[in-house]
Amino acid sequence: MEERRQGRRPASQDSVVCYQSLKEPVFEESESEAKVDGETASDSESRAEASPPLIPADDTPEVLNRAFSSLSSRWKNWWVRGILTLAMIAFFFVIIYLGPLVLMIIVMCVQIKCFHEIITIGYNVYHSYDLPWFRTLSWYFLLCVNYFFYGETVTDYFFTLVQREEPLRILSKYHRFISFTLYLTGFCMFVLSLVKKHYRLQFYMFGWTHVTLLIVVTQSHLVIHNLFEGMIWFIVPISCVICNDIMAYMFGFFFGRTPLIKLSPKKTWEGFIGGFFATVVFGLLLSYVMSGYRCFVCPVEYNNDTNSFTVDCEPSDLFRLQEYVIPGVIQSIIGWKIVRMYPFQIHSIALSTFASLIGPFGGFFASGFKRAFKIKDFANTIPGHGGIMDRFDCQYLMATFVNVYIASFIRGPNPSKLIQQFLTLRPDQQLHIFNTLKSHLTDKGMLTAAAEDE
């Protein structure tokens, strides 16, 4: 009443007018250049936030909707998530059974879908500005980065095949130059696409694309590198993240009372702690089972004779049972003095701990991102779960940790790769290395000892 008496609109009307004004185009043709260039970042953000929230529709299968129609929304969501989670786990087992090559193809498909979901969010938020070439350049940069990373992988792990085929050998020799040329072409295309009234926004989206490439493409490439170290380095970390996600949800659903973080109001301390202990136990058990099979522990290598991947080798000490003496304090509790376990199980504790304590921060990061753009999920690909990126937000962070962990604590010099590089040298260089190595072994007495044994 007081507002009307003073001749002003009510606050609710002011907010409506403000919202409508924010939805208008950012730049009018009659605006001066100074006003365009003087726009602040907060102005662009306020205009972007004015876009309607991109909330995915309920895409739960009709069969499940009818089956759980009598349940409350809380329990209906629990059953839908549970059933579809089991379906995804079953699919995960199937692709593992199909072998390394199928796994690599699946990783690439997941990477492309995640990139598509993130880029689509940017396009939906800023589509009214009609930015030229935004989506075209985004996909072009994705192609360039994948060409670089997969080219490096092919050169590294398929060295003999590359050297045998002349076209592949030429592409391998000039791979980095070709990759840089491709990227430089995209860079020039971006500069040529700049529009006077959209400079700042176009650079925002240029950065958006490159950060997406860093988060999605680079880390998915590390997943493939982990796979080549042995299937166990691929399966155990991914399974630990899945287990933590499931058990944290279960503990939080039944026992959750204390909120964990504001970015994810449904996350609780009870779920976080319960998921940690459950994941550590799960990691130990899964590692024990998988360490006994060569198909899981042997590095994935390309066989030139059969033109296929092989996973056969003599398992390293990391995957052989050893006896460990239990500390006295723990002995008094469990009554055991010695325990037989695989050394890899000790490493699995580090992997499961990271998956439980640090991995969820990838999910929190994704939650903050979604809240910034007022969306519930990245997409609605999986009913009850959101998009592919919603399921892999923690996996990418885990993949980076595993790659760093292997490089720091596990991987040593690879003799087969050294021999491959040695064979590509000129004869005089090979002879020089041979004489140097012979002299070194003779000084150590190893060469003489080997000759006497013969």
Side-chain angles (χ1 to χ4, degrees), residues 172-228:
S172 173
K173 182 177 180 180
Y174 301 105
H175 170 68
R176 296 196 176 186
F177 180 79
I178 295 172
S179 301
F180 177 72
T181 303
L182 289 173
Y183 178 83
L184 200 60
T185 302
F187 179 81
C188 293
M189 289 171 62
F190 167 74
V191 173
L192 293 174
S193 72
L194 290 173
V195 178
K196 184 177 182 181
K197 59 181 181 179
H198 293 328
Y199 286 156
R200 183 166 298 177
L201 192 54
Q202 285 182 282
F203 278 102
Y204 285 163
M205 302 315 298
F206 184 78
W208 179 299
T209 300
H210 282 68
V211 171
T212 304
L213 292 171
L214 176 65
I215 294 175
V216 175
V217 181
T218 305
Q219 298 187 73
S220 66
H221 177 69
L222 297 181
V223 173
I224 294 178
H225 269 239
N226 299 340
L227 176 61
F228 276 106

Side-chain angles (χ1 to χ4, degrees), residues 410-418:
I410 305 298
R411 185 190 297 135
N414 191 327
S416 61
K417 290 185 179 179
L418 290 176

